[in-house]
Amino acid sequence: MREESLAGGHGGAARLGELIPVALGAMAAGVAERGGPVPAGGPAAVAAALTAAGGGTGTLPRTGVGAERALAELSHLLAAGSADPADPACAAHLHCPPLAVSVAADVVASALNPSMDSWDQAPVASELERAFTTGIARLCYPDAPGADAVVTSGGTESNLLGLLLAREAAPGVPVRPVCGANAHHSVARAAWLLGLPAPVVVPCEDDRVLPAALAGALAAVDGPAVVVATAGTTNTGAIDPLPEIAALCRRAGARLHVDAAYGGMALCGPELRSRLAGLDQADSVALDMHKFGWQPVAAGLLAARETGDLAALSVRAEYLNADDDTEAGLPDLLGRSIRTSRRPDAFRMAVTLRALGTDGIGALVERCCATASDVAALVAEHPGLRLLAPPALSTVVFRPVAADELPEPDEFVAGVRRTLLEAGTGVIGRAALPTGPDGAPRLWLKLTLLHPHATVEDYRALLEKVVATADAERAAAPGSPVVS
Amino acid sequence: MREESLAGGHGGAARLGELIPVALGAMAAGVAERGGPVPAGGPAAVAAALTAAGGGTGTLPRTGVGAERALAELSHLLAAGSADPADPACAAHLHCPPLAVSVAADVVASALNPSMDSWDQAPVASELERAFTTGIARLCYPDAPGADAVVTSGGTESNLLGLLLAREAAPGVPVRPVCGANAHHSVARAAWLLGLPAPVVVPCEDDRVLPAALAGALAAVDGPAVVVATAGTTNTGAIDPLPEIAALCRRAGARLHVDAAYGGMALCGPELRSRLAGLDQADSVALDMHKFGWQPVAAGLLAARETGDLAALSVRAEYLNADDDTEAGLPDLLGRSIRTSRRPDAFRMAVTLRALGTDGIGALVERCCATASDVAALVAEHPGLRLLAPPALSTVVFRPVAADELPEPDEFVAGVRRTLLEAGTGVIGRAALPTGPDGAPRLWLKLTLLHPHATVEDYRALLEKVVATADAERAAAPGSPVVS
């Protein structure tokens, strides 16, 4: 019976008070066992660890081992085998270390399990979500009192909604997505999912859309268009020239969706906010609090200027939002998402905002960006490294200069990254950017700094590992010059 | 600095060990304050409680109050204002009370925050997911050793994937969805999202697709078709005649997707399993472990007979799954979902399965279904209630007989439900079913029994509340007979 205990109701908190310490104890032991940012040995070692823990059979167990043992064993395994963004050397992706306050709030959300598809499954959770999403919408659209936002599973779903709203705004006519070469892959994927034409891709310079090229592209589109601009690209953190893009869209009668999944929460930072000027001219904005916002995945948002702009999401299901229930005053939640059952992710976002305030979040964002500037300066001064450009947000893009002397520099760069990953000493990102001859793609390394407490010294150590690895691989490469 | 503490890394477990008890203490106090299954007073009272807690302003706070205070205040608010499925009187929807073991496991997943879009963000989490989803796929397709499954945000996304796979299997030709009148609303919504024609809707009898009608519908479709059958309808839990439907699809060359979001986990029950005969003939199957499976939302799955059947989800993004990384042995995760960043929901599902085994889950499913049969018997014997039909799974559909004498019986039924909800004494579902003259829709009440420990006595008390409320409203209704 014990492993069947429920998390909610009158005994739930007590049972969680027994089980969670078991899980946390095993997690702490697993973190200690791992030591570094990621387990050493690559996929083979990780798969072997899973097998050793009895978890890799591909057959569900018929009989159980009980809650305590399952939690202890698998929590240890997960912690030992994770790439932990709370380690500064885990800096590849827009993959943040969550704040403890958000994780603690999530326990209550999980235990009570409000489902956001009808009021009678989520009475106060839905009211809280409304208040929170209104706050987010007003952050994006400070001059639009009717601004509104919905919660999504991340930037990918938010971008899909941005294109969906554009599609539905022009019924019967296929709307054409137009985006920069710097846009996230989810834009093209959303077009595919929605049955829209593939996006027209506009050239970029320094990872930013070229307004003149966008103007040309819009002139060539026959019929309605939706432009997707980016405020914080995945590769470099670059922010598109939003005011110019918004002006072009107005002139062409095109809709504008801004993918601010990375950069959006910089609106909370007094120094950084001005970089997002023009964001409020978008028809819709994607944000992700699982990037800057320090939430566990998922914490996506889509904001729009008016509640009515989201009307395309409306849907009726007699058992969830019958007309007579809505008329009787039960709020209709179903049109707030393309999902049905939906976790109250807004709860932990709201708790986090109440704990830190927008000032607190903004300070963390600015700290990460300031650290990135300092790290970029380190790179620029380092004889073994080359910096791509000063960071626009918190992404530092660089290459070991050792690559330059080799016939296959990109393979070398990719190899250095994999060596560090396999060794378990560094999790570093990669970015293909058009910096080769005639704009050919060249591979760069990147650090995406989302750790709010990491210092430039942490990253100095990581950069030295990159240089040492590059030097070692350069020395071992066939045809390498003999070191005298 | 304290409210900025991270959940992962070396100090994470310790900080969570301080904060989670704060949240759980507040949750327990909120549960006690609520008393019943849902807060009394309806939307107005809940909104007032939020305002009183300072949370309803629609403006994000600039300054924070710290982690402890934010957690204590909002966790109390959420618990006091939730519809808690751990209370047996909260029985409206496919909205389960989560198991404590799953919630505890989720803490570790949240803290370490693996993101399932690349191996270097989720080394062991991705291996665990693979093992778990393979196990689920083999549960659905016991004779297909290459069966595979992916994790989704729920039945709605799983149904969308089912239609998407059908769309991609017939490139360039619009595939026509065909489903029963009993199908979930997400089927039509998925067709809309994907740019497919609206589904052809096939008549049902007793909430099950009529095979003869399906045969006719398939004969009338010009071009490829995908049939969506349901194993556990939302209204009554009915299971479509899967073997007959599969045979018709084979004959017509149509694909078959089965929405087993409700019924799928009955595969774990030795008594119930046979009701799902024919499921393994589907091209794809939707399951939800946030229904039978006792997971917090979300815990959706989509299974297919072969890994290659999921190939339409493949996508390349240089920074996540570059060809050279994949060739070097880094598993490609991006094609396992239409999302990008993705929470490791498989972790808590796998921990739950290890704790209870499929036998343990199956026993819980069968207990709920047995209780539903007993409750149905109570209803059938009760002079104030009418039973629709014996339950197919764990849904009991009924009406107060008092409705029969009234000119607007559906309004009366809907009103009884809302009165119980507003009073905070019962959360009961509704279902419109074609039981009126000439198949006109009539409104019924339903109990969806997903509480594994609730007994028939719990539901007897709830049914008496329904009868008492109906009698009181009947007596108060205009033109009601004077009680002598």
Side-chain angles (χ1 to χ4, degrees), chain B residues 322-330:
Chain B
D323 286 340
D324 60 291
D325 275 352
T326 306
E327 280 157 23
L330 289 178

Short mmCIF file of all heavy atoms in Angstrom, two decimals, chain B residues 322-330:
data_model
loop_
_atom_site.label_atom_id
_atom_site.label_comp_id
_atom_site.label_asym_id
_atom_site.label_seq_id
_atom_site.Cartn_x
_atom_site.Cartn_y
_atom_site.Cartn_z
N ALA B 322 23.89 17.57 -35.12
CA ALA B 322 24.66 17.62 -36.35
C ALA B 322 25.02 16.21 -36.81
O ALA B 322 25.22 15.31 -35.98
CB ALA B 322 25.92 18.44 -36.13
N ASP B 323 25.09 16.04 -38.10
CA ASP B 323 25.40 14.71 -38.65
C ASP B 323 26.69 14.14 -38.07
O ASP B 323 26.76 12.95 -37.75
CB ASP B 323 25.52 14.80 -40.17
CG ASP B 323 24.16 14.96 -40.84
OD1 ASP B 323 23.15 14.63 -40.18
OD2 ASP B 323 24.12 15.42 -41.99
N ASP B 324 27.72 14.98 -37.94
CA ASP B 324 29.00 14.43 -37.47
C ASP B 324 28.90 14.00 -36.00
O ASP B 324 29.56 13.04 -35.61
CB ASP B 324 30.15 15.43 -37.68
CG ASP B 324 29.95 16.73 -36.94
OD1 ASP B 324 29.05 17.50 -37.31
OD2 ASP B 324 30.68 17.00 -35.97
N ASP B 325 28.08 14.68 -35.21
CA ASP B 325 27.87 14.22 -33.83
C ASP B 325 27.13 12.88 -33.81
O ASP B 325 27.48 11.98 -33.05
CB ASP B 325 27.07 15.26 -33.04
CG ASP B 325 27.94 16.37 -32.46
OD1 ASP B 325 29.18 16.27 -32.52
OD2 ASP B 325 27.36 17.35 -31.93
N THR B 326 26.12 12.79 -34.64
CA THR B 326 25.35 11.54 -34.68
C THR B 326 26.23 10.39 -35.16
O THR B 326 26.21 9.29 -34.59
CB THR B 326 24.11 11.72 -35.58
OG1 THR B 326 23.38 12.87 -35.12
CG2 THR B 326 23.21 10.51 -35.54
N GLU B 327 27.04 10.68 -36.19
CA GLU B 327 27.95 9.65 -36.69
C GLU B 327 28.98 9.26 -35.63
O GLU B 327 29.42 8.11 -35.57
CB GLU B 327 28.67 10.14 -37.94
CG GLU B 327 27.79 10.02 -39.18
CD GLU B 327 28.21 10.98 -40.29
OE1 GLU B 327 29.38 11.40 -40.30
OE2 GLU B 327 27.35 11.31 -41.13
N ALA B 328 29.35 10.21 -34.79
CA ALA B 328 30.32 9.93 -33.73
C ALA B 328 29.69 9.21 -32.54
O ALA B 328 30.37 8.94 -31.55
CB ALA B 328 30.98 11.23 -33.26
N GLY B 329 28.39 8.91 -32.63
CA GLY B 329 27.78 8.10 -31.59
C GLY B 329 26.90 8.84 -30.61
O GLY B 329 26.37 8.23 -29.67
N LEU B 330 26.75 10.15 -30.80
CA LEU B 330 25.84 10.87 -29.89
C LEU B 330 24.41 10.65 -30.36
O LEU B 330 24.06 11.00 -31.49
CB LEU B 330 26.17 12.37 -29.89
CG LEU B 330 27.48 12.76 -29.20
CD1 LEU B 330 27.70 14.27 -29.31
CD2 LEU B 330 27.49 12.33 -27.75
#
